[in-house]
């Protein structure tokens, strides 16, 4: 279980259930949060989604990152998916020039991701 602060005047966060509780990654932004579960799914809440909801079931997700407007998920195969925090159901591959992706996949794919505010970063194997 994870804690969620909903803006209410209290000292401790509210405990909320996320899936079966077996999480492999969590990330928090200014107004949203995401968690990857042991089944490779993504749970998302915030930005008008008060309770965690499974928005991306069984996609081989191993890590999540949350920015101020967009969130990101890293797959086991080294690909990155993204969605806007206001519409977590509209998941798409990270939009970058195709030549960049060919080079990244040639190098073994993405191994880590991070987001902060409007900035997104990723690490490749090489």
């Amino acid at each position: 279980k994870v804690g969620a602060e909903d803006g209410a005047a209290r000292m401790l966060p509210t405990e909320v259930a996320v899936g079966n509780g077996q999480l492999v990654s969590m990330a928090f932004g200014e107004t949203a949060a995401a968690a990857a579960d042991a089944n490779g799914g993504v749970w998302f809440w915030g930005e008008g989604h008060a309770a965690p909801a499974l928005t991306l079931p069984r996609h081989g997700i191993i890590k999540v990152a949350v920015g101020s407007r967009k969130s990101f998920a890293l797959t086991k195969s080294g690909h990155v998916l993204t969605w806007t925090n206001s519409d977590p159901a509209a998941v798409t591959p990270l939009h970058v020039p195709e030549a960049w992706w060919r080079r990244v996949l040639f190098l073994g794919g993405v191994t880590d991701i991070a987001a902060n505010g409007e900035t997104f970063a990723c690490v490749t194997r090489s």
Side-chain angles (χ1 to χ4, degrees), residues 19-30:
N20 62 8
Q22 297 177 353
L23 303 178
V24 297
S25 175
M26 289 185 67
F28 296 89
E30 293 176 33

Side-chain angles (χ1 to χ4, degrees), residues 48-102:
H49 304 86
L54 183 61
T55 58
L56 194 60
R58 299 188 181 268
H59 273 74
I61 304 303
I62 58 172
K63 184 156 186 187
V64 290
V66 178
S68 60
R69 293 187 191 165
K70 288 192 161 204
S71 293
F72 306 87
L74 175 61
T75 68
K76 288 180 187 176
S77 62
H79 290 84
V80 179
L81 304 175
T82 186
W83 61 92
T84 62
N85 293 344
S86 61
D87 188 5
V91 178
T92 62
L94 183 64
H95 183 65
V96 294
E98 176 141 356
W100 185 87
W101 264 124
R102 282 197 305 266

